[in-house]
């Protein structure tokens, strides 16, 4: 009887923590990312982004040279090219940063122009929705204190995640229109 009460209390506690965590995440998602940083001077900005999935690395490049590198988390099922909505894969190919969201549910976000025409055609041929809304972003709002702990596993729905401090730097160094190449390996 006593053991049953302890088990019941532990179960209620775990469920309560789960509900509280879910509620906190939903509330913070509405809070937004705060004020984005200003853009860096044009001569300091990247002119391309290279993402290597196998090494979990994002490289900002200018004139063919890497100017910054970041460790990243990818989609929860990162192997292969994104094929459909919900497959949790990070796409592979050549895209561009086509818009930015200062009020993202994650700390700031830069939109990657997936799906392109080839992605859409492949999805249509397979009778699938290609998905979309693939971003480079920081941690979910309210969870920034996790910092580099997010690198312990791939956890996004197909996006590329960095710490909030790194996202602020990337935001300032990457103008809209910057090409991004995402590859499995070099």
């Amino acid at each position: 009887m006593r053991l049953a009460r302890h088990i019941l209390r532990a179960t209620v506690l775990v469920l309560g923590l789960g509900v509280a965590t879910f509620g906190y995440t939903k509330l913070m998602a509405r809070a937004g990312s705060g004020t984005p940083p200003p853009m860096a001077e044009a001569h300091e900005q990247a002119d391309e982004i290279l993402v290597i999935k196998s090494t979990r690395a994002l490289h900002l490049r200018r004139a063919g040279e890497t100017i910054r590198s970041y460790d990243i988390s990818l989609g929860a099922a990162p192997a292969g090219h994104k094929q459909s909505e919900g497959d949790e894969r990070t796409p592979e190919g050549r895209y561009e940063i086509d818009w930015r969201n200062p009020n993202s549910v994650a700390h700031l976000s830069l939109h990657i122009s997936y799906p392109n025409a080839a992605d859409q055609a492949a999805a249509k041929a397979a009778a699938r929705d290609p998905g979309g809304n693939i971003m480079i972003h920081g941690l979910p709002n309210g969870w920034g204190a996790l910092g580099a702990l997010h690198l312990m596993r791939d956890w996004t729905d197909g996006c590329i995640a960095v710490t909030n401090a790194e996202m602020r730097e990337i935001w300032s160094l990457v103008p809209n229109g910057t090409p991004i190449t995402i590859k499995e390996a070099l």
Side-chain angles (χ1 to χ4, degrees):
M1 180 82 141
R2 192 171 183 176
L3 178 60
R5 270 189 273 153
H6 286 299
I7 291 172
L8 179 61
R9 284 183 185 157
T11 302
V12 169
L13 178 63
V14 168
L15 289 174
L17 285 172
V19 168
T21 300
F22 179 78
Y24 175 77
T25 300
K26 289 294 186 183
L27 178 67
M28 294 310 294
R30 293 174 186 236
S33 299
T35 305
M39 293 299 292
E41 297 291 326
H43 70 277
E44 297 174 340
Q45 294 176 0
D47 60 20
E48 70 174 317
I49 303 168
L50 175 62
V51 174
I52 308 299
K53 290 169 63 172
S54 62
T55 59
R56 304 296 189 277
L58 181 150
H59 305 279
L60 297 186
R61 299 173 55 85
R62 182 175 51 242
E65 300 291 326
T66 297
I67 59 172
R68 303 276 197 295
S69 291
Y70 307 91
D71 294 329
I72 59 173
S73 290
L74 299 171
H81 177 58
K82 184 164 193 62
Q83 296 177 3
S84 63
E85 179 75 29
D87 67 8
E88 295 188 327
R89 291 182 176 156
T90 301
E92 296 173 3
R94 188 155 170 87
Y95 303 96
E96 73 175 40
I97 301 301
D98 56 356
W99 53 272
R100 55 191 60 230
N101 185 356
N103 298 310
S104 173
V105 298
H107 186 70
L108 305 174
S109 60
L110 301 177
H111 185 261
I112 298 169
S113 63
Y114 173 88
N116 60 25
D119 298 321
Q120 291 174 5
K124 184 175 181 180
R128 295 181 178 161
D129 178 345
N133 213 25
I134 302 298
M135 315 288 266
I136 300 171
H137 60 69
L139 300 178
N141 292 327
W143 295 99
L146 292 176
L149 289 175
H150 83 96
L151 298 170
M152 294 176 69
R153 63 183 278 273
D154 292 314
W155 56 272
T156 76
D157 288 334
C159 295
I160 298 165
V162 295
T163 67
N164 291 356
E166 291 167 337
M167 188 62 223
R168 294 183 69 75
E169 184 173 71
I170 293 167
W171 178 283
S172 72
L173 293 170
V174 175
N176 288 351
T178 302
I180 177 170
T181 301
I182 306 169
K183 306 166 95 168
E184 177 58 34
L186 275 178

